[in-house]
Amino acid sequence: LDFALIITYLQSGVEILALTITKATITGAIINTILNAFLIYKIALMGAVIATMISYFVVWLIITYDTNKAMNL
């Protein structure tokens, strides 16, 4: 019985993690695309670098926030 509860708990955690990663990835991709459209036009290659850095940071923030919320930290 205890083993079944552990497996159920782990499965729900994996589902939450998968949803978090999906939400973060889609949000990051949208932000990256929008920023690339503006920044590449303005400052060329450095604009792409800045857009990618910002989108990665946003992805990290979303994953960190959702993980802390799921773990009740």
Side-chain angles (χ1 to χ4, degrees):
L1 181 62
D2 291 333
F3 183 71
L5 290 175
I6 292 170
I7 295 299
T8 302
Y9 176 76
L10 290 175
Q11 286 175 342
S12 64
V14 168
E15 291 170 4
I16 291 170
L17 180 62
L19 289 174
T20 297
I21 291 173
T22 301
K23 178 175 70 170
T25 303
I26 291 171
T27 303
I30 292 168
I31 290 171
N32 196 18
T33 302
I34 292 169
L35 288 175
N36 274 330
F38 292 109
L39 294 176
I40 289 175
Y41 178 73
K42 293 286 186 190
I43 50 179
L45 184 60
M46 191 55 72
V49 171
I50 293 169
T52 301
M53 288 175 50
I54 291 170
S55 65
Y56 270 95
F57 181 70
V58 169
V59 168
W60 176 79
L61 283 176
I62 292 169
I63 291 173
T64 301
Y65 174 77
D66 284 352
T67 301
N68 286 337
K69 189 169 75 172
M71 295 177 65
N72 296 323
L73 294 177

